[in-house]
Amino acid sequence: MSLFAMGFLLVILQPATGQFPRACANTQSLLRKECCPPWDGDGSPCGELSSRGSCQNILLSQAPLGPQFPFSGVDDREDWPSIFYNRTCKCEGNFMGFNCGECKFGFLGPNCTERRLRTRRNIFQLTTSEKDKFLAYLNLAKNTPSQDYVIATGTYTQMNNGSNPMFRNINVYDLFVWMHYYASRDTLLGGSNVWRDIDFAHEAPGFLPWHRVFLLLWEREIQKITGDENFTIPYWDWRDAEDCVVCTDEYMGGRHPTNPNLLSPASFFSSWQVICTRSEEYNSQQALCNATSEGPILRNPGNNDKSRTPRLPSSAEVEFCLSLTQYESGSMDKMANYSFRNTLEGFADPRTAISNISQSGLHNALHIYMNGSMSQVQGSANDPIFVLHHAFVDSIFERWLRRHRPMLEVYPAANAPIGHNRENYMVPFIPLYRNGEFFKPSRELGYDYEYLQEPALDSFQEFLIPYLEQARQIWAWLVGAAMVGGIVTAVLAGLILACRKKRRGTSSEIQPLLTESEDYNNISYQSNF
C-alpha cells in the first residue's frame, strides 16, 4: 500500500467499537466520555460514599510501541478505551468492577477481605455429577442474556460520536466469544482494505496474561448466573494424547454419524450456533461482527493438515518449553526466537524454540488439530473445548512462573506490538486491566491447578530449579572468584606469619614500654585485625 493511499485512508477511517457495561451504553455516558456507574450498595458513582472507589481520569501508557502497526488514530482499540471513555472507576483496596461493586480475584466477603483459593481440576478427575454440572453451566451461559454487558452494533462514527447509541444484548457465553473476536480482528482501513498484522490478544507478550484475565472473567460470570461461587473451569491435559479424548457425547460432543464436520446430535452442543466466524465478510463490508447466528459448531479432529500439525503436543515438548528462561525476546511477535511465550503459543518449534510459522506447535497445534470452528482465531471460542484448552495452557504459564520466578520487569515495558506493553490496558475489557497486573502466580489471583499441588518434596525440588539454573549459568565466575579468594587468603596468611616472626626476633631491650591506654588500644585493634 502506497504512502499516499495510507494518508488518504487516515482521513476516511471510521473507528470501531468494543464491549460496554450496560450502565454506560447510553448517550450521556458516551458524550461525557465517562463510565462511572453507581454502586447499588450506596447509590454513589463507583461506591465513593463507601470508600470503594472514585471516578478518575484514565492514565494511558506513553511507552513506545513496536513497528508492526504503522498507523495512528485509525483503530478504536488504540489507547483503549479512550475513544469512548477517558474517565472510569478506579477502585480501592480489594474492590474491583466497572462500578467497584465486586471483589478482586481471590477475595470475597462484603468488604472483600476474605481470601479464597479455588482449584481448577482435570476434567477427567471430575465425578459424573460434577462433569454434568459443568456441561449444564455451559448450556445455561449460552441461553442467559448478560445482565451487565452489551455489544455495539455500529461504529463510533455511526453513533454520531455517541449521540446515537447502537447496542444489542448478547448471552453470557457469546459475550466472551465476541470479545475474543474483537481483540483479534483486523483493522478496517476503508474501501476493501484491511490491516491484518494486528492482534491485541495473540502473537505478542500479552497472549498469556490476556487469556488469563479472559478465563477469570468467564469463570466469574458463570459463578454469577449459577450462584455457585466455588465453580472453576476444568482443564484438558492434552500432552501425549493420541486423539481428542474429550470429543465424546459424554463430554464435549462426539462426531456426527454421517457428517464428520458436525457434532453428534446426542450432544446438546450440536444445537449451538456460532457467531463471529466470517471475518472476510466483515472485512469486505467494513463492518463488525454483530453476533448474528452463523450456523452450527464445526469440528473434525485429526483430519487437519498433517504437514503443519502432525499430532498433538508431547510432554517432552512442554518440558523443553518450560526450560526456556526468556519470557520474551527479539521482535516480541510471532518471529521471536528462544521466547517462552512464542514457543508456548506455537509459532516457534517446541524442540528448538526457533520461530517457524509454517508449523503449529503446542497451543496452536491443538487449535489446528480440531479442524473446525477452533481453527480460526477470531471465532475459536465458539467451541467449548476452547476453555478446557486454554485452562491447560494457562497452567503451563503458571508452571513457568513458579519455576523461574520472574520479576515484573521481565515483562516488556516498551516496544512490544500495539496493546502488548506492560502498562497497556487489555482490549476490550471494562473494567480496565493492564497486561503486567496478571504476570504473577495464580495463587495471588485466587486459584491453583490440581496437578500443580504437588507433594512437599516435589515442591522443594521445583523451588530449587531456578537457583540451580542460575548457578549453572555463573559457575565459571564462581570458580574464578573462589580461586582469587584462595590466593588472597594465602598471601594474607603469609604476611601475618612473617610479621609474627619479625616481632619474635626483636630484642626485649629495644622494645618500647607501652603504658599509655591509647597505645594499648592500638595494639589490641591491630591484634584483633
Side-chain angles (χ1 to χ4, degrees):
M1 184 180 294
S2 69
L3 291 177
F4 173 78
M6 283 187 179
F8 176 72
L9 288 172
L10 293 181
V11 177
I12 65 172
L13 289 179
Q14 295 181 348
T17 53
Q19 55 86 32
F20 295 84
R22 186 181 298 275
C24 299
N26 56 69
T27 301
Q28 182 180 11
S29 296
L30 290 171
L31 292 179
R32 294 178 61 186
K33 284 185 171 290
E34 182 175 290
C35 184
C36 297
W39 174 53
D40 291 341
D42 63 14
S44 67
C46 313
E48 186 169 8
L49 294 178
S50 301
S51 301
R52 297 178 79 94
S54 59
C55 190
Q56 297 190 15
N57 293 334
I58 295 171
L59 300 178
L60 298 173
S61 170
Q62 301 301 313
L65 303 172
Q68 294 85 354
F69 188 68
F71 305 97
S72 178
V74 302
D75 191 313
D76 68 304
R77 296 171 296 181
E78 299 174 54
D79 289 328
W80 179 260
S82 60
I83 195 166
F84 304 110
Y85 309 112
N86 52 34
R87 286 172 61 81
T88 61
C89 288
K90 178 176 173 53
C91 305
E92 302 296 335
N94 296 329
F95 299 115
M96 189 183 83
F98 58 79
N99 63 354
C100 300
E102 300 181 6
C103 298
K104 283 184 177 179
F105 302 116
F107 292 88
L108 74 165
N111 296 313
C112 301
T113 54
E114 303 170 32
R115 280 195 170 273
R116 168 69 64 87
L117 185 68
R118 300 178 176 91
T119 301
R120 292 179 180 171
R121 299 168 58 198
N122 189 321
I123 191 168
F124 292 114
Q125 299 299 318
L126 302 181
T127 65
T128 300
S129 61
E130 289 171 334
K131 179 262 298 177
D132 290 344
K133 183 169 67 173
F134 167 63
L135 299 181
Y137 284 178
L138 286 172
N139 208 38
L140 179 64
K142 188 72 169 179
N143 292 282
T144 302
S146 172
Q147 295 298 307
D148 293 328
Y149 291 98
V150 292
I151 62 169
T153 58
T155 66
Y156 190 64
T157 300
Q158 290 167 345
M159 294 185 196
N160 291 325
N161 299 331
S163 62
N164 180 34
M166 299 169 65
F167 300 97
R168 66 167 291 179
N169 293 325
I170 192 168
N171 68 62
V172 171
Y173 189 94
D174 285 350
L175 170 68
F176 286 87
V177 177
W178 195 91
M179 287 194 291
H180 190 266
Y181 146 80
Y182 180 80
S184 56
R185 68 171 182 83
D186 303 328
T187 294
L188 306 177
L189 293 176
S192 60
N193 298 300
V194 297
W195 186 265
R196 300 182 189 277
D197 191 14
I198 184 171
D199 195 314
F200 289 82
H202 305 86
E203 303 179 13
F207 166 68
L208 293 166
W210 190 96
H211 285 83
R212 172 162 281 194
V213 174
F214 180 88
L215 292 180
L216 282 166
L217 292 173
W218 193 89
E219 211 165 46
R220 177 160 291 188
E221 287 302 304
I222 298 294
Q223 292 165 359
K224 286 182 185 177
I225 64 174
T226 63
D228 183 358
E229 65 177 20
N230 294 314
F231 168 76
T232 56
I233 299 169
Y235 58 86
W236 171 30
D237 183 349
W238 34 248
R239 291 174 297 180
D240 304 316
E242 296 184 1
D243 53 31
C244 181
V245 290
V246 296
C247 297
T248 66
D249 289 336
E250 183 183 0
Y251 287 92
M252 311 310 291
R255 198 186 299 268
H256 193 282
T258 60
N259 187 338
N261 294 313
L262 298 178
L263 301 186
S264 164
S267 168
F268 58 66
F269 293 124
S270 65
S271 65
W272 280 25
Q273 290 284 302
V274 301
I275 64 170
C276 304
T277 62
R278 301 173 180 172
S279 58
E280 293 307 316
E281 179 180 316
Y282 314 143
N283 288 347
S284 66
Q285 297 175 356
Q286 294 287 291
L288 297 181
C289 163
N290 62 7
T292 300
S293 297
E294 297 173 348
I297 294 174
L298 302 179
R299 189 197 300 157
N300 191 350
N303 291 321
N304 56 289
D305 181 359
K306 295 296 195 297
S307 65
R308 186 176 191 86
T309 304
R311 53 172 172 74
L312 290 171
S314 68
S315 296
E317 290 170 340
V318 171
E319 292 305 314
F320 173 78
C321 182
L322 287 167
S323 73
L324 299 171
T325 57
Q326 297 183 83
Y327 178 76
E328 198 54 90
S329 66
S331 57
M332 296 184 278
D333 56 17
K334 60 186 176 184
M335 302 305 295
N337 296 322
Y338 308 111
S339 155
F340 165 75
R341 187 275 315 161
N342 202 36
T343 304
L344 177 55
E345 189 169 358
F347 294 108
D349 192 308
R351 297 161 298 181
T352 65
I354 301 297
S355 173
N356 183 359
I357 59 176
S358 68
Q359 301 288 305
S360 294
L362 296 179
H363 156 264
N364 287 350
L366 203 291
H367 280 279
I368 299 300
Y369 179 88
M370 288 301 161
N371 194 31
S373 301
M374 275 272 284
S375 305
Q376 190 250 3
V377 175
Q378 295 177 16
S380 59
N382 278 293
D383 191 326
I385 289 178
F386 179 95
V387 293
L388 303 180
H389 169 46
H390 272 276
F392 189 65
V393 171
D394 183 74
S395 79
I396 298 174
F397 176 36
E398 181 61 23
R399 289 182 66 190
W400 187 86
L401 289 172
R402 295 186 190 184
R403 176 177 296 191
H404 299 282
R405 299 175 182 268
M407 301 292 288
L408 176 60
E409 288 71 21
V410 168
Y411 189 98
N415 301 312
I418 184 170
H420 288 265
N421 283 339
R422 185 192 308 155
E423 297 301 314
N424 287 149
Y425 290 117
M426 299 181 188
V427 174
F429 304 128
I430 299 176
L432 305 177
Y433 306 101
R434 299 184 190 271
N435 290 306
E437 293 173 6
F438 293 83
F439 191 72
K440 64 173 68 170
S442 67
R443 293 190 188 104
E444 296 182 28
L445 298 169
Y447 72 100
D448 200 354
Y449 287 94
E450 186 178 46
Y451 83 107
L452 298 185
Q453 297 175 331
E454 300 168 335
L457 179 61
D458 290 342
S459 298
F460 181 69
Q461 291 172 341
E462 187 82 4
F463 173 79
L464 286 179
I465 285 176
Y467 301 101
L468 294 174
E469 178 65 21
Q470 292 177 19
R472 182 189 66 79
Q473 295 174 1
I474 63 172
W475 71 271
W477 182 89
L478 291 173
V479 171
M483 292 177 63
V484 171
I487 293 171
V488 171
T489 301
V491 171
L492 288 175
L495 289 174
I496 292 172
L497 288 174
C499 290
R500 285 180 176 176
K501 288 180 180 180
K502 182 176 180 180
R503 291 170 64 183
R504 282 198 299 267
T506 303
S507 170
S508 60
E509 288 79 10
I510 63 174
Q511 287 184 10
L513 181 64
L514 300 178
T515 59
E516 297 292 330
S517 60
E518 180 181 356
D519 292 332
Y520 182 81
N521 289 335
N522 287 340
I523 287 293
S524 298
Y525 172 75
Q526 292 172 359
S527 176
N528 289 337
F529 175 77

